[in-house]
Amino acid sequence: MTAGRAEFRELARQLRSVNAVNRELARHLPSDCPPASAGLLSLLRRHGEIRMSELTELLGIDMSVTSRHVAHATERGWIERHPDPHDGRSRLLRLTESGDRQLDDLSERATDTLAHRLYDWPDDDIAALNALLDRLRTSFCPAQIPTARDSSKK
Amino acid sequence: MTAGRAEFRELARQLRSVNAVNRELARHLPSDCPPASAGLLSLLRRHGEIRMSELTELLGIDMSVTSRHVAHATERGWIERHPDPHDGRSRLLRLTESGDRQLDDLSERATDTLAHRLYDWPDDDIAALNALLDRLRTSFCPAQIPTARDSSKK
DNA sequence: TATTGTTATACTCTATAACTATA
DNA sequence: TATAGTTATAGAGTATAACAATA
């Protein structure tokens, strides 16, 4: 059966409250790394070498914002920008070794915070939440951008 | 069994992607109503007449930010501030009739957007996501603030 | 002294519009 | 002409610190 309006209204409330969770996670980031950089690095590891436009699609923001975030991460040596051999207008982005290490640190911090707050959650519930959130993301942003693993078939 | 670190890492990613969903919901708000006001009004309907400090706890932000948002909503006539008879330092907040109508409009917009994007979601999955997100919120912000008795009307 | 709330300031994130360079 | 990306500008959200008023 399809969901009723009361449940969608409740969902809107619950989604807003996720902001508070994300702020709490952001409080444990290193001072030179804004939350947006964490998102950037995470997507670059997941998807490998991608273009600005693809990253913009994945982030669900305007490309002007992506451009600024990428510039910030590049200044700090976490990302490299390379020309796209197939299109002179494009730039290909990828993690540097330094960015890879930075992301390891960021992931560990976020994982520590979640493990502490959700210490009593059963494994199945975390998995269920992950699955539902992944489907939510897909329902809102149905982008078809290859991940690093299957990018070989391209 | 307790969740492993890989699942927490994945959860951090999924939670970040909720930002994009919230931005999409915000795009359908009326131009004179920033997303923060929607959150304010929603909490005030749910909890009835509460104090600044309680609202701050529910929002998970600094009270200085709450103060600014409340001032904005008050200027637009959506909220009333009353002195607390039990504590001269406090102010009690509540929705005005105009704020109540405004919130009805906001809820309808958010519900329309969700119903459109999640048209193919079964009722049970929405309910499951709501339940898990509610537990997530509780795990991060275990505030004990009473809910208004008549909030189930409407 | 401690607490409640407000204000000033600065920083992050975002969108729009104008611009450059390439297709 | 159209597309990829950058930059300038403005608006919203937030935290810190300093402050006033009350407990």
Side-chain angles (χ1 to χ4, degrees):
Chain A
M1 178 179 177
T2 298
R5 293 184 68 83
E7 270 143 342
F8 284 130
R9 203 162 53 229
E10 168 71 8
L11 181 56
R13 276 198 297 267
Q14 297 295 348
L15 290 174
R16 263 195 298 265
S17 73
V18 171
N19 289 336
V21 175
N22 278 323
R23 277 195 299 274
E24 178 63 23
L25 290 174
R27 286 188 188 101
H28 295 89
L29 260 42
S31 60
D32 68 332
C33 183
S37 291
L40 231 59
L41 271 46
S42 176
L43 285 175
L44 281 178
R45 175 178 286 173
R46 189 178 190 78
H47 293 273
E49 195 175 58
I50 58 176
R51 311 202 308 173
M52 287 286 306
S53 54
E54 292 174 315
L55 184 56
T56 295
E57 180 75 17
L58 289 168
L59 288 167
I61 56 180
D62 191 88
M63 195 188 291
S64 65
V65 183
T66 308
S67 181
R68 173 163 294 200
H69 291 328
V70 165
H72 183 271
T74 301
E75 288 165 12
R76 275 155 189 75
W78 300 327
I79 289 179
E80 284 174 342
R81 283 185 278 205
H82 299 281
D84 183 343
H86 298 91
D87 188 336
R89 299 168 300 179
S90 285
R91 304 177 84 167
L92 292 169
L93 309 172
R94 68 158 171 257
L95 274 185
T96 62
E97 281 190 24
S98 165
D100 204 64
R101 286 193 304 272
Q102 174 75 358
L103 181 53
D104 282 338
D105 178 38
L106 302 178
S107 292
E108 194 168 357
R109 288 166 184 260
T111 300
D112 286 347
T113 304
L114 286 171
H116 174 251
R117 295 284 188 165
L118 312 184
Y119 72 98
D120 59 346
W121 280 50
D123 191 71
D124 285 351
D125 288 355
I126 300 282
L129 180 54
N130 275 332
L132 287 166
L133 288 178
D134 193 63
R135 203 156 129 225
L136 180 70
R137 183 185 56 74
T138 305
S139 294
F140 267 80
C141 172
Q144 298 289 347
I145 293 167
T147 53
R149 269 170 312 207
D150 49 357
S151 64
S152 50
K153 71 174 187 175
K154 170 96 195 250
Chain B
M1 179 180 176
T2 299
R5 293 184 68 82
E7 269 143 343
F8 284 130
R9 204 161 52 230
E10 167 72 8
L11 181 55
R13 277 198 296 268
Q14 297 295 349
L15 290 173
R16 263 195 298 266
S17 73
V18 172
N19 288 337
V21 174
N22 278 323
R23 277 195 300 274
E24 178 63 24
L25 291 174
R27 288 189 186 101
H28 295 89
L29 260 42
S31 59
D32 67 334
C33 183
S37 291
L40 231 60
L41 271 46
S42 177
L43 286 175
L44 281 179
R45 175 178 287 173
R46 189 177 191 76
H47 292 273
E49 195 175 58
I50 58 177
R51 312 202 307 173
M52 287 287 305
S53 55
E54 293 174 314
L55 184 56
T56 295
E57 179 74 18
L58 289 167
L59 288 168
I61 56 180
D62 190 89
M63 196 190 291
S64 65
V65 183
T66 309
S67 182
R68 175 165 293 198
H69 291 329
V70 165
H72 183 272
T74 302
E75 288 164 13
R76 275 156 189 74
W78 299 328
I79 289 179
E80 282 174 342
R81 284 186 278 207
H82 299 281
D84 183 343
H86 298 89
D87 188 336
R89 300 168 300 178
S90 286
R91 304 176 81 166
L92 292 169
L93 310 172
R94 68 158 171 256
L95 273 186
T96 62
E97 280 191 25
S98 165
D100 203 67
R101 286 194 303 272
Q102 174 75 356
L103 180 52
D104 282 339
D105 178 38
L106 302 179
S107 291
E108 193 168 359
R109 288 167 184 260
T111 300
D112 286 347
T113 304
L114 286 171
H116 174 252
R117 296 283 187 163
L118 312 184
Y119 72 97
D120 59 347
W121 281 49
D123 190 73
D124 286 350
D125 288 356
I126 301 281
L129 181 54
N130 275 332
L132 287 165
L133 288 178
D134 194 62
R135 206 159 126 221
L136 179 72
R137 182 185 57 72
T138 305
S139 293
F140 267 79
C141 172
Q144 299 289 350
I145 294 166
T147 303
R149 258 169 285 146
D150 57 336
S151 70
S152 55
K153 64 148 192 175
K154 165 132 196 61

